[in-house]
Amino acid sequence: MNRTLIKNGIVITPLEELRADVLVENGRIAKVAPDIAEAGARVIDATGRFVAPGAIDLHIQGHEGRDFWECSYE
């Protein structure tokens, strides 16, 4: 099992910011809690840093040198 423990971060949630650790197992958040101890996990010290799930921005503004805001089929 692939485990990473992110320690001492400021965890961003939709409702609040938490001072907590984040355990990630096989690419998924498995646990968020203060002072997680997980033997064998790779540890990342995030002291003073924000921790948030990643996002992919799928938005685009144009294609082939044209701007979508031009509002024509050509």
Side-chain angles (χ1 to χ4, degrees), residues 4-54:
T4 302
L5 180 56
I6 304 170
K7 298 285 290 176
N8 308 312
I10 303 164
V11 179
I12 304 294
T13 78
L15 302 176
E16 61 188 330
E17 294 178 4
L18 306 169
R19 302 278 176 177
D21 299 341
V22 178
L23 178 63
V24 180
E25 293 181 344
N26 298 319
R28 295 183 179 260
I29 296 171
K31 185 176 186 181
V32 177
D35 301 318
I36 297 173
E38 188 66 30
R42 183 180 126 208
V43 177
I44 298 172
D45 182 9
T47 300
R49 294 188 170 95
F50 293 107
V51 179

